[in-house]
Amino acid sequence: VVWLSPHPMDVFREKPLYPIELKRLDGGAIRTDWWSGKPAVIVVFSSYCPYCAQSMQVLHRLAKELPVYGIAWRDEPDKIRKYLEKYGDPFRDIGLEQGMDLAYFWQLDGTPMTLLLDRDQKVVEWKAGLLTEEEIKRIWLPAIALLH
């Protein structure tokens, strides 16, 4: 894919992500801006996404470096729980997004989407699609080191 203009996610390098209200996987409500205050990773995933499943090992590695939060996009809570039983749970917190807020406010068009955020929730790095161990070593870990 060739972008003729900046990717929509690049807008959030200059300003914080728009806060989204979500339902927590285990009940209650959560807002994405509640995850601010320190560098973090937000991963938008779904149980039916093969690239999401392939990314889980890398997410467990990232979770050793800084908080990783999950947003289950257009999925069912029971399917997410089974998915986490199978692949492990690297997430500090998980929100469920059943509507169109992520698509509208964050310009999300699929899963997985992995975002490295600074303490103000500005995007430092982002990846649409499969996040690899090589990308973690070459791009993400150096970026994380600069945030600490």
Side-chain angles (χ1 to χ4, degrees), residues 26-79:
D26 295 325
I30 186 77
R31 284 176 47 106
T32 56
D33 57 342
W34 293 353
W35 298 333
S36 65
K38 56 187 166 191
V41 172
I42 294 180
V43 180
V44 183
F45 71 102
S46 50
S47 66
Y48 51 83
C49 166
Y51 295 120
C52 297
Q54 291 175 22
S55 294
M56 287 300 281
Q57 184 176 9
V58 174
L59 297 179
H60 284 280
R61 178 164 158 71
L62 280 177
K64 293 177 184 175
E65 303 292 330
L66 69 173
V68 176
Y69 299 99
I71 299 175
W73 193 46
R74 298 182 181 170
D75 214 330
E76 298 173 26
D78 288 341
K79 290 181 180 179

Side-chain angles (χ1 to χ4, degrees), residues 4-139:
L4 299 177
S5 61
H7 186 278
M9 191 53 64
D10 286 334
V11 169
F12 296 113
R13 291 184 189 274
E14 306 292 324
K15 62 181 183 177
L17 285 173
Y18 186 87
I20 306 288
E21 187 163 331
L22 307 164
K23 292 182 181 178
R24 266 200 171 107
L25 180 61
D26 295 325
I30 186 77
R31 284 176 47 106
T32 56
D33 57 342
W34 293 353
W35 298 333
S36 65
K38 56 187 166 191
V41 172
I42 294 180
V43 180
V44 183
F45 71 102
S46 50
S47 66
Y48 51 83
C49 166
Y51 295 120
C52 297
Q54 291 175 22
S55 294
M56 287 300 281
Q57 184 176 9
V58 174
L59 297 179
H60 284 280
R61 178 164 158 71
L62 280 177
K64 293 177 184 175
E65 303 292 330
L66 69 173
V68 176
Y69 299 99
I71 299 175
W73 193 46
R74 298 182 181 170
D75 214 330
E76 298 173 26
D78 288 341
K79 290 181 180 179
I80 291 298
R81 287 184 188 92
K82 288 178 185 173
Y83 174 88
L84 295 172
E85 284 176 21
K86 182 174 182 177
Y87 297 106
D89 184 356
F91 304 113
R92 188 166 289 184
D93 202 358
I94 299 174
L96 303 171
E97 215 286 284
Q98 301 293 339
M100 294 297 293
D101 285 350
L102 289 176
Y104 182 77
F105 293 112
W106 292 8
Q107 302 300 303
L108 182 77
D109 60 1
T111 59
M113 173 67 83
T114 309
L115 309 168
L116 173 60
L117 306 176
D118 69 10
R119 69 184 81 257
D120 299 319
Q121 288 204 317
K122 292 180 185 171
V123 173
V124 175
E125 293 293 338
W126 62 271
K127 173 70 187 270
L130 177 64
L131 184 62
T132 67
E133 184 67 34
E134 190 274 329
E135 290 168 319
I136 292 294
K137 289 178 186 174
R138 186 173 49 84
I139 300 168

